[in-house]
């Protein structure tokens, strides 16, 4: 590494929220990843080690897999030991304030590794770096961070790293453009049997509380042929399950040009026809939902009977203020249709408590709706104002302790239903794809059944990587103990 410490930072582009909001009507660019390696990087990287810590959703998990693919081309190996790494990257999530706070706390802890090894390259990427204020904080308070890039810059990692090595100064490249579709990025997948497949990027829904449309750009759907190619490659490589990933899978294809137009249900059917053993998808949005999706789910046994359908609130006026574009009646209609087509479906949801306009009456409507629908599980969140979003400017905020009180009531309501439903699950026979030794007990093997429930069974050779019939013996609310049935 060069000893020139006086170099100014190399700023290619910094985050810009005004640009990030822009939605273009022009056609998308589909481009192939450029995998050429700059010479200085080739020499530097050989046999070096990288560590990536990933926060956030499946989108980020998949981005980390791409980054690992790039490091793999450089002949670098992965480590989980911070003191042993030559590059440490944090791939960050901005969805709620606590995710950001956690990032800065953990980033502070990296200083000691940098003090011991001044050649260590510390980088921060992902959604938080798309935001102006957290980026400014990082710029001023964390001088040891040498590399900053955003969600649109992953395919530039070779050039960015090459610049850091050459200049020994900070390099920043955070585009705020609408984004394009980059195909053929290298990848190292986290799992051997289950894989995430992106079907689209970005989000155009602009729910009033949400930062994602700012950090991930315009909705961009991949072409059907590229998605099917990826699924077929996964089948060839022994994968048994794919999860189709997008912020709003039901809106898949709406942005494609006429000649490539495909709807989500058409995509789902085509993926089912590849004969991959299991298909899941996430996340669904009640808007843009089409009954045909349920018909396809019912028709193909390899599409798992599970749906994650975020509700957010059980009050029409809150849903309106959230800009969710559906009302409670519409949500209930969808659930009825879902249960008509797939009676044993596992239905999960997301709910936000303490949205600025939420009154006690609104909140009680959410509780009543949860009791009526009886979700199998729900992820509950306290509203977190995200700078730049419409909801962050709303002033009618409920006091913190009242929000905490509501949060606990909601959690209790949900947990009680989840527990009751768990007991109803005992003695059922399910099919489990076993994929790992249990994290809590090495004498147990774990996997997920068709309803996406976590099942543990006693250790047995040759179980991992297979799908087996299992009888449920005990319910532990969020997981189950089962027994493999001999076939
Ligand atoms: N695209 C998906 C999910 C996106 S984020 C969808 O629309 O359903 C996952 C969940 O985080 C959301 O469903 C929402 O419940 C929650 N969330 C998003 N922004 C939030 C915020 N500012 N405060 C609290 N929870 C939030
Ligand atoms: Fe966020 Fe709404 Fe888009 Fe989901 S649909 S990512 S909640 S803006
Ligand atoms: Fe977080 Fe970005 Fe995903 S904000 S939830 S990592 S899209």
């Amino acid at each position: 590494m060069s000893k020139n410490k006086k170099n100014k930072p190399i700023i290619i582009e910094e985050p810009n929220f005004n640009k990030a909001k822009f939605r273009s009507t022009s056609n998308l660019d589909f481009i192939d990843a450029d995998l050429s390696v700059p010479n200085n990087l080739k020499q530097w990287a050989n046999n070096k080690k990288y560590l990536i810590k990933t926060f956030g959703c499946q989108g980020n998990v998949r981005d980390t897999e791409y980054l690992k693919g790039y490091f793999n081309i450089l002949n670098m190996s992965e480590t989980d030991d911070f003191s042993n790494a030559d590059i440490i990257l944090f791939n960050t999530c901005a969805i709620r304030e606590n995710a950001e706070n956690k990032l800065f706390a953990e980033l502070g802890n990296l200083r000691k590794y940098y003090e011991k090894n001044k050649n260590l390259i510390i980088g921060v990427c992902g959604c938080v770096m798309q935001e102006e204020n957290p980026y400014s904080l990082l710029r001023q308070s964390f001088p040891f961070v040498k590399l900053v890039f955003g969600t649109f810059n992953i395919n530039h990692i070779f050039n960015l790293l090459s610049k850091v090595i050459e200049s020994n100064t900070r390099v920043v490249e955070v585009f705020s453009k609408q984004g394009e579709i980059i195909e053929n990025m290298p990848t190292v997948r986290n799992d051997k049997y289950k894989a995430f497949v992106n079907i689209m990027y970005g989000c155009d829904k602009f729910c009033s509380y949400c930062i994602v449309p700012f950090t991930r750009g315009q909705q961009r759907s991949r072409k059907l042929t590229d998605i099917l190619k990826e699924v077929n490659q996964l089948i060839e490589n022994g994968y048994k399950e794919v999860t189709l990933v997008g912020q709003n899978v039901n809106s898949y294809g709406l942005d494609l040009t006429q000649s490539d137009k495909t709807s989500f249900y058409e995509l789902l059917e085509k993926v089912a026809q590849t004969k991959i053993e299991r298909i899941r998808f996430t996340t669904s949005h009640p808007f843009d939902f089409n009954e045909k999706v349920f018909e396809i789910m019912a028709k193909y046994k390899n599409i798992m009977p599970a749906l994650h359908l975020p509700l957010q609130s059980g009050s029409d006026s809150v849903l309106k203020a959230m800009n969710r574009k559906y009302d409670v009646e519409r949500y209930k209609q969808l659930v009825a249709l879902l249960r008509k087509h797939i009676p044993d479906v596992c239905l999960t949801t997301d709910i936000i408590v303490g949205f600025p306009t939420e009154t006690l009456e609104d909140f009680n409507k959410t509780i009543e709706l949860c009791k009526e629908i009886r979700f199998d599980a729900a992820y509950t969140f306290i509203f977190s104002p995200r700078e730049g979003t419409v909801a962050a400017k709303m002033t009618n905020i409920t006091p913190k302790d009242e929000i905490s009180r509501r949060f606990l009531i909601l959690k209790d309501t949900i947990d009680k239903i989840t527990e009751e439903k768990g007991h109803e699950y005992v003695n059922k026979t399910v099919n489990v794809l076993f994929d790992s030794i249990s994290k809590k007990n090495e004498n147990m093997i774990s996997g997920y059944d068709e309803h996406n429930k976590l099942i543990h069974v006693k250790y047995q050779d040759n179980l991992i990587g297979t799908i087996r019939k299992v009888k449920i013996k005990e319910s532990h609310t969020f997981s189950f103990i089962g027994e493999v049935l001999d076939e």
Side-chain angles (χ1 to χ4, degrees):
M1 207 177 267
S2 144
K3 292 275 176 285
N4 184 357
K5 294 208 169 133
K6 286 186 198 122
N7 284 354
K8 273 199 185 149
I10 300 175
I11 309 283
I12 301 161
E13 193 170 320
E14 292 180 308
N16 177 333
F17 254 26
N18 276 332
K19 260 173 93 181
K21 279 189 279 193
F22 179 71
R23 293 297 183 262
S24 143
T25 50
S26 60
N27 287 345
L28 268 185
D29 283 336
F30 289 81
I31 52 179
D32 256 347
D34 173 8
L35 304 181
S36 48
V37 184
N39 270 336
N40 70 332
L41 180 60
K42 208 179 273 174
Q43 280 169 17
W44 176 88
N46 207 17
N47 289 323
K48 289 221 163 43
K49 294 192 168 57
Y50 69 87
L51 186 155
I52 310 177
K53 186 158 174 146
T54 311
F55 303 79
C57 66
Q58 291 92 343
N60 259 16
V61 171
R62 193 73 193 105
D63 283 350
T64 291
E65 290 181 334
Y66 292 133
L67 287 165
K68 287 183 181 182
Y70 280 102
F71 288 140
N72 192 40
I73 291 179
L74 297 177
N75 253 331
M76 295 179 69
S77 55
E78 191 175 3
T79 177
D80 55 10
D81 177 358
F82 283 84
S83 55
N84 196 5
D86 300 286
I87 302 183
I88 299 174
L89 272 185
F90 278 3
N91 190 6
T92 61
C93 171
I95 201 81
R96 283 170 291 275
E97 197 182 356
N98 53 6
E100 267 177 38
N101 293 344
K102 215 167 118 204
L103 162 72
F104 286 110
E106 294 204 24
L107 206 50
N109 288 334
L110 292 190
R111 189 185 304 268
K112 59 175 183 275
Y113 299 106
Y114 179 73
E115 294 303 329
K116 274 198 211 123
N117 171 14
K118 290 276 161 53
N119 287 326
L120 172 63
I121 298 177
I122 296 176
V124 184
C125 60
C127 286
V128 178
M129 288 303 98
Q130 295 290 142
E131 297 181 292
E132 293 173 7
N133 282 344
Y135 165 71
S136 292
L137 174 64
L138 180 127
R139 193 170 53 115
Q140 283 154 23
S141 310
F142 297 88
F144 57 87
V145 173
K146 284 284 156 65
L147 176 60
V148 174
F149 59 101
T151 59
F152 304 103
N153 309 80
I154 290 177
N155 60 324
H156 290 177
I157 182 74
F158 284 168
N159 278 327
L160 297 172
L161 258 179
S162 161
K163 285 195 166 71
V164 173
I165 291 159
E166 187 186 297
S167 65
N168 191 27
T169 180
R170 175 180 290 169
V171 176
V172 177
E173 187 187 82
V174 181
F175 292 158
S176 300
K177 57 183 178 180
Q178 56 162 331
E180 62 266 288
I181 298 251
I182 299 156
E183 291 295 347
N184 301 318
M185 282 205 274
T187 179
V188 171
R189 298 204 180 250
N190 291 334
D191 292 302
K192 270 161 71 180
Y193 309 105
K194 301 189 297 189
F196 291 142
V197 173
N198 286 319
I199 62 168
M200 62 211 290
Y201 305 96
C203 178
D204 289 346
K205 292 285 185 284
F206 287 97
C207 300
S208 64
Y209 51 82
C210 184
I211 197 73
V212 172
F214 300 79
T215 65
R216 291 275 170 180
Q218 184 153 359
Q219 173 175 315
R220 286 110 61 210
S221 300
R222 287 178 77 194
K223 289 181 186 169
L224 175 68
T225 45
D226 290 321
I227 298 169
L228 292 178
K229 193 169 124 202
E230 187 173 336
V231 174
N232 282 315
Q233 261 166 11
L234 287 164
I235 297 174
E236 262 173 49
N237 293 335
Y239 280 83
K240 301 214 184 279
E241 180 178 305
V242 293
T243 301
L244 307 177
V245 174
Q247 289 296 349
N248 291 290
V249 292
N250 311 95
S251 311
Y252 169 79
L254 296 178
D255 54 298
L256 285 167
T257 54
Q258 208 51 44
S259 57
D260 292 317
K261 266 264 183 301
T262 315
S263 302
F264 180 59
Y265 74 87
E266 291 170 315
L267 164 74
L268 200 54
E269 177 154 41
K270 288 279 191 286
V271 176
Q273 287 167 349
T274 64
K275 301 223 161 47
I276 180 111
E277 291 192 54
R278 298 178 140 201
I279 300 157
R280 303 184 192 278
F281 54 88
T282 197
T283 302
S284 296
H285 189 302
F287 187 76
D288 282 339
F289 215 116
N290 185 322
E291 188 179 354
K292 290 210 171 99
V293 173
F294 300 146
E295 288 168 13
I296 300 292
M297 286 174 80
K299 181 169 167 195
Y300 290 91
K301 291 291 150 262
N302 56 347
I303 305 177
M304 297 297 100
L307 185 71
H308 185 65
L309 190 63
L311 167 69
Q312 313 301 3
S313 168
S315 151
D316 283 345
S317 66
V318 174
L319 286 174
K320 194 152 193 288
M322 286 176 163
N323 192 28
R324 285 293 284 182
K325 303 185 178 82
Y326 56 86
D327 58 14
V328 171
E329 208 35 54
R330 164 79 179 145
Y331 191 93
K332 289 208 292 200
Q333 245 174 26
L334 278 175
V335 173
L337 282 173
L338 170 71
R339 287 179 168 157
K340 182 184 106 189
H341 287 284
I342 310 136
D344 72 332
V345 72
C346 169
L347 177 63
T348 54
T349 199
D350 291 345
I351 297 171
I352 297 176
V353 180
F355 186 81
T357 62
E358 183 190 82
T359 61
L360 187 56
E361 200 190 336
D362 292 321
F363 172 73
N364 286 334
K365 286 183 184 163
T366 303
I367 295 288
E368 287 316 307
L369 192 60
C370 287
K371 287 183 183 160
E372 186 184 328
I373 294 183
R374 300 189 82 237
F375 295 104
D376 290 73
Y379 300 90
T380 47
F381 309 103
I382 289 180
F383 168 72
S384 167
R386 310 313 296 130
E387 204 166 338
T389 63
V390 170
K393 294 184 205 94
M394 294 180 177
T395 47
N396 33 357
I397 303 199
T398 312
K400 264 198 175 135
D401 47 353
E402 171 59 10
I403 294 179
S404 307
R405 192 187 72 87
R406 291 181 196 173
F407 184 75
L408 289 179
I409 295 174
L410 178 66
K411 221 173 155 333
D412 276 356
T413 310
I414 297 284
D415 287 353
K416 198 161 156 266
I417 298 167
T418 305
E419 202 177 319
E420 282 167 14
K421 287 207 141 185
H423 288 304
E424 291 163 21
Y425 218 57
V426 175
N427 287 328
K428 283 210 163 54
T429 300
V430 296
N431 298 287
V432 180
L433 167 55
F434 289 102
D435 62 5
S436 59
I437 307 264
S438 159
K439 287 193 187 92
K440 286 188 188 147
N441 179 348
E442 57 180 37
N443 299 318
M444 305 291 274
I445 306 241
S446 309
Y448 287 86
D449 75 358
E450 53 272 64
H451 299 105
N452 219 5
K453 306 219 189 252
L454 176 59
I455 319 278
H456 308 287
V457 298
K458 240 193 237 142
Y459 183 89
Q460 187 175 318
D461 282 337
N462 305 325
L463 214 51
I464 291 185
T466 64
I467 297 175
R468 306 289 282 270
K469 280 213 169 348
V470 170
K471 181 147 190 185
I472 303 293
K473 293 286 176 190
E474 284 172 40
S475 156
H476 292 200
T477 309
F478 298 110
S479 66
F480 298 85
I481 308 285
E483 207 174 86
V484 177
L485 298 176
D486 290 323
E487 274 154 32

